[in-house]
């Protein structure tokens, strides 16, 4: 048998080679429609936006080369420059540094930990053998499959001065029209919307942990909290990294809830970088497409740096890695 | 026509059969004349096909299904009268300005599009619209046929760029029942600021969530108080703002005093987003709104008993805002003459009368001010009169959206953060100056 198959081997590999080549070709053929769309609508668009970030462009007349002026305007504040009487104004758009940047960081710093903890606790609860857990899972996941615009509109009703929230808690707070509360209201909406998806990711992670570990801990006499702290959390570290990363990227780009609920107001208290980019690019009577593109690349850079840092922190603090 | 042709074909067949049956008879020659006639008919059809039909694309926002249907019926009438022009109506749903501006950037904009006066300066600066003066001359349409404050608003550098299609001004809407309950005489066109304040005091009942006047932090309402106080929002050349002038600050103090004294409120105070709804619910006795409130009340609050007068005059007389939209032609249009004929038809007296009588918009032609419709609809008539008395377009130059933002913020700072009017308006004016500097 072996003798007869040996001379056949090279012929087979040749045929295999041909087959592999054909398979590769087929794969690329299948990928072609997507690759085309990816190249035109993603790669080209990003490249063109990068070019636009160095121009002054209002859509109505062709872009003019502007060098780093757009970046300078985004990143400076007028009061940084001494201005003697009669001297020309430094052309700075204070909104980015004064409002959008601190707002975006504040938003991320609050929403990411809160939604991670809530979804982890929810996932842990849903992993126990409790009644109706399938029903609960569905309910918690429901907001994630609903359009964010619809949820935002529902929350506008709930948080209206005569809305359900104020009625139930006997409060008299103007949630969306008071600069002190508006941003926190939007944070609540976002936590409500995303926790369901993150819960599902955690749940998948939880079910991947071998039961042997839990059994061993139980034999050693660990209580529920100790099991959670010393078995579940360390085993979940890769999942936590994923959830936090996705959360940070999503938070830095928060836009739709703000667009629907407050349009950046009142008094810019809910203006984030993504909303500011939209405002410059589309809402202003004089469109500032170049400046908006510059802000978009600054935002991309911020997200890149923050994700790197966070990867260092989470992966550096433990031994478990993917 | 069809039957004629049929008979001719039948006769030809008969003739052929006859010819086959009995060749060389003189009758056959007689029938060939009929066949020649048939050839003439087909030639006529051939002539019609190559005749150039100019295609004109028209885009606007779709305000409501009824309004869209009305425009489509007007366009249908137009094509019936002008078979050489095909009008393609392409309404833009969603963000009109973002869509329009990006289509101009891509060079695919429609031949005719809606132009809001608020956006007009940017389009003039970048020279993307066609001046209409020469085209107007071809049909004998004169500038003077339109309400001056409207056609002037769409003129720049001595040229007309847009023909106003309709407009709105602000009127003082008042709730007749609340006035009767308070034992007050109803407002008239001769009211002043003092009358407004006295009435607001008597109409208010904060314990029951009823307030005399709606005073929203809205850049589309507040400026009329500045005008009525002899001030302005921008200098005439739009190179500087006058928001920190004494006239504007005084107007700001008067406007915000209503809420401070609890005889006026913003819609959010009573849990609404728009004061039109609050007025319909009977919680604001008076609001400054435009003609758009009339159909809204008719639909949502059919039982409300209300009247409309022109805004009460201030210390320096009348003042009002004009919100207006025009038809303009793109500079890149391949069929400007055809596009002009479409605009000329849509803004003709007949078409405007039809739109007015359907209750959607007010006509921009002076000749229609004496129409029966306005005589029998006093609310619309008050809004129409507003354009004739000291009204200025709702337009603040190239930084219009920033001026609006800053005006809103100036009022919000007074309302929500108890800042003084002087300080808040000065801060707003500085922010506008910063935006003006950015244009350079």
């Amino acid at each position: 048998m072996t003798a007869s198959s040996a001379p056949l081997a090279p012929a087979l590999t040749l045929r295999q080679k041909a087959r592999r080549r054909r398979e590769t070709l087929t794969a690329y053929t299948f990928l072609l429609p997507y690759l085309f769309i990816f190249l035109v609508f993603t790669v080209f668009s990003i490249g063109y936006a990068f070019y636009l970030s160095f121009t002054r462009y209002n859509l109505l007349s062709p872009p003019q080369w502007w060098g780093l002026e757009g970046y300078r305007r985004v990143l400076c504040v007028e009061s940084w420059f001494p201005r003697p009487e009669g001297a020309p104004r430094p052309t700075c758009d204070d909104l980015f540094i004064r409002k959008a940047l601190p707002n975006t960081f504040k938003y991320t710093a609050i929403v990411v930990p809160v939604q991670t903890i809530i979804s982890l606790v929810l996932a842990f609860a849903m992993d126990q053998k409790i009644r109706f857990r399938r029903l609960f899972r569905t309910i918690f996941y429901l907001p994630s499959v609903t359009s964010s615009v619809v949820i935002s509109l529902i929350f506008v009703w709930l948080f209206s001065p005569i809305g359900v929230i104020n009625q139930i808690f006997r409060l008299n707070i103007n949630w969306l029209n008071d600069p002190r509360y508006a941003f926190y209201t939007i944070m609540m909406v976002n936590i409500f919307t995303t926790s369901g998806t993150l819960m599902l990711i955690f749940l998948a992670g939880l079910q991947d942990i071998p039961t042997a570990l839990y059994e061993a801990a139980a034999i050693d006499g660990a209580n529920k909290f100790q099991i959670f702290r010393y078995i579940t959390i360390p085993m979940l570290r890769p999942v936590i990294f994923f959830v936090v990363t996705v959360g940070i990227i999503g938070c830095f780009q928060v836009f739709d809830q703000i667009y629907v609920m407050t349009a950046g107001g009142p008094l810019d208290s809910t203006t984030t970088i993504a909303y500011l980019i939209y405002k410059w690019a589309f809402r202003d009577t004089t469109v500032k497409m170049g400046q908006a593109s510059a802000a978009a690349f600054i935002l991309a850079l911020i997200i890149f740096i923050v994700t790197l840092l966070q990867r260092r922190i989470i992966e550096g603090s433990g031994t478990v890695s993917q | 026509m069809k039957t004629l042709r049929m008979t001719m074909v039948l006769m030809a067949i008969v003739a052929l059969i006859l010819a086959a049956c009995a060749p060389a008879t003189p009758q056959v020659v007689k029938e060939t004349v009929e066949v020649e006639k048939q050839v003439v008919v087909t030639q006529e059809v051939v002539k019609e096909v190559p005749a150039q039909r100019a295609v004109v694309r028209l885009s606007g926002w779709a305000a409501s299904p009824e309004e869209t249907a009305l425009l489509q019926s007007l366009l249908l009438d137009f094509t019936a009268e002008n078979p050489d022009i095909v009008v393609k109506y392409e309404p833009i749903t969603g963000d009109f300005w973002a869509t329009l501006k990006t289509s101009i950037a891509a060079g695919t904009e429609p031949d005719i599009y809606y132009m809001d006066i608020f956006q007009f300066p940017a389009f003039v600066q970048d020279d993307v619209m066609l001046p209409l003066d020469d085209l107007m001359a071809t049909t004998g349409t004169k500038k003077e046929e339109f309400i001056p404050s409207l056609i002037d608003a769409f003129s720049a550098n001595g040229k007309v760029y847009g023909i106003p299609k309709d407009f709105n001004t602000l009127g003082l809407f008042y709730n007749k029942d609340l006035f009767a309950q308070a034992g007050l005489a109803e407002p008239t066109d001769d009211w002043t600021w003092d009358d407004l304040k006295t009435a607001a005091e008597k109409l208010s009942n904060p314990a029951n969530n009823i307030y005399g006047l709606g005073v929203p932090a809205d850049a589309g309402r507040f400026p009329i108080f500045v005008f009525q106080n002899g001030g302005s929002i921008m200098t005439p050349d739009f190179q500087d703002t006058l928001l920190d002038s004494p006239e504007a600050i005084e107007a700001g103090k008067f406007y915000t005093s209503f809420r401070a004294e609890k005889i006026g409120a913003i819609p959010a105070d009573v849990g609404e987003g728009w004061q039109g709804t609050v007025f319909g619910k009977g919680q604001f006795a008076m609001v400054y709104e435009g003609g758009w409130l009339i159909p809204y009340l008719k639909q949502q609050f059919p039982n409300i008993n209300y009247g409309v007068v022109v805004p009460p005059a201030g210390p320096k007389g009348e003042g009002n805002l004009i919100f207006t939209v025009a038809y303009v032609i793109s500079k890149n249009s391949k069929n400007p003459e055809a596009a002009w004929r479409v605009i000329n038809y849509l803004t003709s007296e007949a078409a405007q009368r039809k739109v007015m009588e359907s209750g959607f918009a007010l006509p921009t032609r002076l000749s229609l001010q004496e129409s029966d419709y306005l005589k029998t609809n006093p609310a619309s008539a008050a809004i129409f009169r507003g354009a004739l008395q000291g009204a200025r377009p709702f337009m603040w130059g190239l930084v219009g959206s920033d001026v609006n933002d800053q005006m809103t913020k100036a009022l919000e700072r007074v309302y929500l953060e108890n800042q003084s009017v002087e300080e808040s308006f000065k801060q707003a004016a500085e922010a506008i100056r910063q935006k003006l500097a950015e244009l350079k």
Side-chain angles (χ1 to χ4, degrees), chain B residues 176-184 210:
Chain B
K176 288 187 175 177
D177 294 337
L178 287 174
F179 267 78
Q181 274 172 35
L184 277 169
I210 292 175

Side-chain angles (χ1 to χ4, degrees), chain A residues 56-61 73 78 83 89-95 160-162 174 177-179 266-268 278-280 282-288 291, chain B residues 95 98 101-102 104-105 118-119 122-123 125-126 128 268-271 397-402 405 409 412-413 416-417 430 433-435 437-440:
Chain A
R56 175 175 229 189
Y57 184 34
N58 69 358
L59 287 177
L60 299 181
S61 47
R73 286 190 178 194
E78 201 180 279
R83 187 157 66 98
R89 257 168 195 283
T91 45
C92 297
D93 208 310
D94 292 9
L95 263 185
S160 121
I162 50 162
N174 208 337
N177 278 291
D178 192 321
L267 294 174
D268 294 325
Y278 159 76
K279 180 174 139 45
W280 285 341
F282 296 112
R283 229 210 61 195
D284 284 354
T285 31
T286 301
V287 166
K288 303 187 241 319
Q291 201 174 309
Chain B
D95 195 335
K101 284 175 188 173
T102 40
I104 290 174
F118 194 73
Q119 297 276 351
F123 285 76
Q125 176 181 269
D126 286 302
V128 292
D269 289 339
V270 291
L398 289 169
V399 292
S401 55
D402 295 308
D405 283 352
K409 281 178 199 165
E412 278 178 347
R413 278 192 296 265
L416 307 173
E417 297 190 330
E430 280 306 301
R433 286 186 189 117
Q434 193 180 345
K435 291 291 166 192
E438 274 181 39
L439 286 176
K440 297 197 177 90

Side-chain angles (χ1 to χ4, degrees), chain A residues 47-294:
Chain A
Y48 192 62
F50 191 61
Y51 158 69
L52 283 183
S53 72
F54 299 104
T55 64
R56 175 175 229 189
Y57 184 34
N58 69 358
L59 287 177
L60 299 181
S61 47
Q64 297 166 310
W65 187 255
W66 218 19
L68 290 168
E69 178 66 11
Y71 287 90
R72 193 192 64 79
R73 286 190 178 194
V74 172
L75 291 173
C76 75
V77 169
E78 201 180 279
S79 54
W80 291 350
F81 302 94
R83 187 157 66 98
E85 201 61 43
R89 257 168 195 283
T91 45
C92 297
D93 208 310
D94 292 9
L95 263 185
F96 186 88
I97 295 290
R98 283 243 165 118
K99 294 284 184 183
L101 193 67
N103 277 350
T104 307
F105 270 96
K106 183 175 155 191
Y107 183 85
T108 311
I110 295 176
V111 171
V112 171
V114 173
Q115 75 185 12
T116 308
I117 291 167
I118 289 183
S119 51
L120 180 57
V121 171
L122 280 180
F124 194 67
M126 288 306 105
D127 200 33
Q128 309 303 308
K129 288 184 178 62
I130 50 167
R131 277 179 146 210
F132 306 121
R133 63 175 179 163
R134 272 168 204 280
L135 178 75
F136 281 122
R137 265 187 219 174
T138 313
I139 290 172
F140 288 134
Y141 188 61
L142 218 52
S144 306
V145 291
T146 315
S147 142
S148 64
V149 173
V150 173
I151 293 187
S152 304
L153 286 175
I154 294 171
F155 270 74
V156 168
W157 282 99
L158 293 178
F159 284 95
S160 121
I162 50 162
V164 177
I165 305 288
N166 273 354
Q167 306 260 342
I168 290 178
F169 298 104
R170 303 196 170 279
L171 294 168
N172 188 20
I173 295 174
N174 208 337
W175 295 94
L176 287 167
N177 278 291
D178 192 321
R180 285 172 298 172
Y181 301 108
F183 208 28
Y184 296 103
T185 314
I186 289 183
M187 289 178 190
M188 277 192 257
V189 179
N190 236 12
I191 291 168
F192 174 79
T193 324
T194 44
S195 291
T197 318
L198 301 183
M199 176 199 77
L200 218 62
I201 297 169
F202 273 132
L203 203 56
L206 281 175
Q207 286 166 352
D208 257 4
I209 300 173
T211 37
L213 286 177
Y214 287 120
E215 281 160 8
I219 291 167
D220 288 345
N223 62 29
K224 265 242 151 89
F225 176 76
Q226 282 170 322
I227 289 177
F228 183 73
R229 171 68 189 82
Y230 294 104
I231 306 256
T232 313
I233 301 242
M235 289 305 287
L236 275 181
R237 188 159 277 136
V239 183
I240 293 175
F241 171 73
F242 177 75
V243 165
V244 171
T245 310
V246 169
I248 286 177
I249 294 173
C251 282
F252 271 111
Q253 299 177 339
V254 61
F255 172 76
D256 32 6
Q257 287 88 353
I258 291 167
Y259 175 80
V260 175
M261 295 176 79
T262 57
L267 294 174
D268 294 325
S269 60
T270 61
T271 296
T272 58
I273 298 178
Y275 186 79
L276 193 62
I277 292 170
Y278 159 76
K279 180 174 139 45
W280 285 341
F282 296 112
R283 229 210 61 195
D284 284 354
T285 31
T286 301
V287 166
K288 303 187 241 319
M289 201 51 92
Q291 201 174 309
S293 305

Side-chain angles (χ1 to χ4, degrees), chain B residues 313-333:
Chain B
K316 297 280 156 59
E318 307 272 0
N320 208 333
L321 276 173
I322 293 183
F323 307 89
T324 178
V325 174
Y327 292 112
V328 300
I329 300 180
S330 159
K331 206 163 195 189
N332 301 324
S333 172

